[in-house]
Amino acid sequence: MNGAIIGYGTIATGHAIGYRQTEGIDVTTVVDPTPARAEAAQRAGLRAYATYAEMIDYEAPDFIDICTPPNSHADYIELGLRDGLHVLCEKPVLMPHEGRYDRLLDQIAASDKVFYPCHNYKFAPILTEMERVVRSPGFGDVLSARFRTLRQGHAVGVPEWNPHWRRDPVIAGGGILRDHGPHSVYLATHLTGRTPLAVSCLTGAMRHDGHTGTEDTAKLIIRCDDDVQIELDVTWSAGYRNSYYSIIGSGGWVTVENDDVQYSLNGQPHRAALRSNFDDPRHPDWFAAMFADFLTTTRHPEQAAPLLAESLTTSLVIDGAYASAADDGRWVELTPARDLLMGVAR
């Protein structure tokens, strides 16, 4: 299976490496309007086009992989589905527009191709180890979870094109809550298996770095079914980098902090060190595992429906969090994704 990457920035270079490591799938083509990025793609052995229209005139990809900033995701998703292609998309996968998500969901429902979210943190080896512990019989029912992501600033993009686009609300659709928030939300719902019912959120700009149009810090509390509570903290204003994940069960617990894993099952404590690669934005090994899963999903398209629900749930939580933050952290009830996807399941 062969594809085209749309947008050749830092994340896309990681995707390209991941494809080279994955049997049965590859990319040979890039779409990027910035001449310097097109040249970078060509140096990497990829054919480059300035526009999607030009690319589709000369190439016949099986899929597109959207690695552009958020404000263009919907347009490229529509183009890919229109042309009968499988579509992968970087986070935030679904962005609210006029009519909210209805138009895009209808297009996904009408397509016989796979729409796949690039939720790459699910494929980090250290977090798959966390998942193994949580799924173990001795862990019991999930009771609560807390994730904390500390960064010393926003990720800076390529110098050839608006390196600080993550702090531009028009391009990014928000600040850290829209940028890194999705990782925390989809990972929390994936690992706990819980359905978000309501969210309370506070945001702020604490770094005082001149980027005042978006928030750099957010704290979310998510109420889920069975009275499970998930707490998420994300910030670009920290003095050091730290990635922390903790889940407590009725029979055990597990924490991941950077490269350290600790857990207890059946009353027995365990500790291990695993290289997390949390600090490498390209995550090539994560992407290789994710692309193998995408390839499997194209062969078993019924597996795409839960992924669409996961993408929509993530976006609905982020939307609710922004609504809550705008009203001093009030609780915002969330519409379950399944209610919006009644007509989408294939």
Side-chain angles (χ1 to χ4, degrees):
M1 182 176 288
N2 181 59
I5 294 177
I6 314 297
Y8 195 67
T10 302
I11 295 299
T13 61
H15 280 218
I17 296 171
Y19 282 117
R20 289 197 292 271
Q21 297 174 352
T22 309
E23 185 177 352
I25 191 169
D26 198 9
V27 293
T28 56
T29 308
V30 161
V31 173
D32 198 301
T34 308
R37 299 312 303 162
E39 291 173 8
Q42 290 169 340
R43 289 195 299 271
L46 302 168
R47 295 187 292 277
Y49 298 89
T51 67
Y52 176 91
E54 183 183 6
M55 181 275 292
I56 210 69
D57 280 344
Y58 290 94
E59 305 286 344
D62 300 300
F63 67 90
I64 58 170
D65 182 354
I66 302 167
C67 297
T68 59
N71 66 333
S72 60
H73 286 183
D75 291 341
Y76 284 117
I77 291 170
E78 290 187 14
L79 288 171
L81 295 176
R82 179 201 68 186
D83 292 331
L85 308 178
H86 299 298
V87 174
L88 298 94
C89 187
E90 264 293 337
K91 58 81 188 170
V93 178
L94 298 173
M95 295 284 287
H97 293 279
E98 185 177 351
R100 306 296 290 175
Y101 302 99
D102 293 352
R103 174 175 170 174
L104 206 52
L105 293 177
D106 287 344
Q107 291 171 329
I108 294 170
S111 172
D112 62 352
K113 299 300 180 180
V114 166
F115 176 72
Y116 189 94
C118 292
H119 287 172
N120 61 81
Y121 270 60
K122 290 163 51 178
F123 299 91
I126 198 168
L127 294 177
T128 60
E129 171 65 5
M130 187 178 206
E131 181 181 6
R132 182 193 68 79
V133 174
V134 173
R135 303 283 187 266
S136 298
F139 194 82
D141 296 328
V142 170
L143 302 178
S144 65
R146 185 181 182 193
F147 296 177
R148 183 179 64 234
T149 302
L150 307 182
R151 298 292 183 264
Q152 293 173 285
H154 59 277
V156 178
V158 292
E160 300 92 342
W161 188 87
N162 197 349
H164 299 291
W165 63 262
R166 284 179 173 83
R167 304 309 303 272
D168 185 335
V170 174
I171 297 174
I176 192 170
L177 186 54
R178 188 70 73 183
D179 182 70
H180 214 290
H183 286 314
S184 296
V185 174
Y186 73 66
L187 192 59
T189 58
H190 173 70
L191 290 175
T192 66
R194 299 301 179 179
T195 300
L197 302 178
V199 61
S200 172
C201 177
L202 294 174
T203 63
M206 301 174 64
R207 192 163 183 80
H208 309 298
D209 55 5
H211 298 286
T212 58
T214 57
E215 80 286 347
D216 62 25
T217 301
K219 179 177 181 61
L220 294 76
I221 302 176
I222 305 171
R223 288 177 180 165
C224 301
D225 55 326
D226 293 332
D227 295 322
V228 171
Q229 182 167 286
I230 297 172
E231 297 185 33
L232 307 177
D233 300 297
V234 291
T235 186
W236 283 326
S237 67
Y240 63 99
R241 292 179 65 93
N242 185 264
S243 300
Y244 174 87
Y245 307 88
S246 173
I247 300 177
I248 296 174
S250 58
W253 56 266
V254 57
T255 65
V256 166
E257 185 165 16
N258 301 321
D259 296 341
D260 184 64
V261 183
Q262 298 185 57
Y263 63 93
S264 175
L265 285 175
N266 303 313
Q268 297 297 313
H270 302 267
R271 184 169 187 173
L274 290 173
R275 186 176 179 181
S276 67
N277 284 328
F278 288 137
D279 296 339
D280 180 359
R282 296 180 303 171
H283 310 306
D285 56 333
W286 303 9
F287 288 133
M290 185 181 74
F291 296 144
D293 185 67
F294 163 69
L295 193 57
T296 298
T297 305
T298 63
R299 295 165 179 163
H300 302 278
E302 68 279 2
Q303 297 177 7
L307 296 175
L308 179 58
E310 180 178 272
S311 300
L312 184 56
T313 295
T314 300
S315 293
L316 293 173
V317 171
I318 298 299
D319 294 347
Y322 273 117
S324 173
D327 197 11
D328 300 323
R330 72 173 174 88
W331 284 99
V332 172
E333 301 295 321
L334 301 172
T335 301
R338 63 177 179 270
D339 291 352
L340 298 178
L341 292 173
M342 292 295 290
V344 173
R346 293 197 292 271

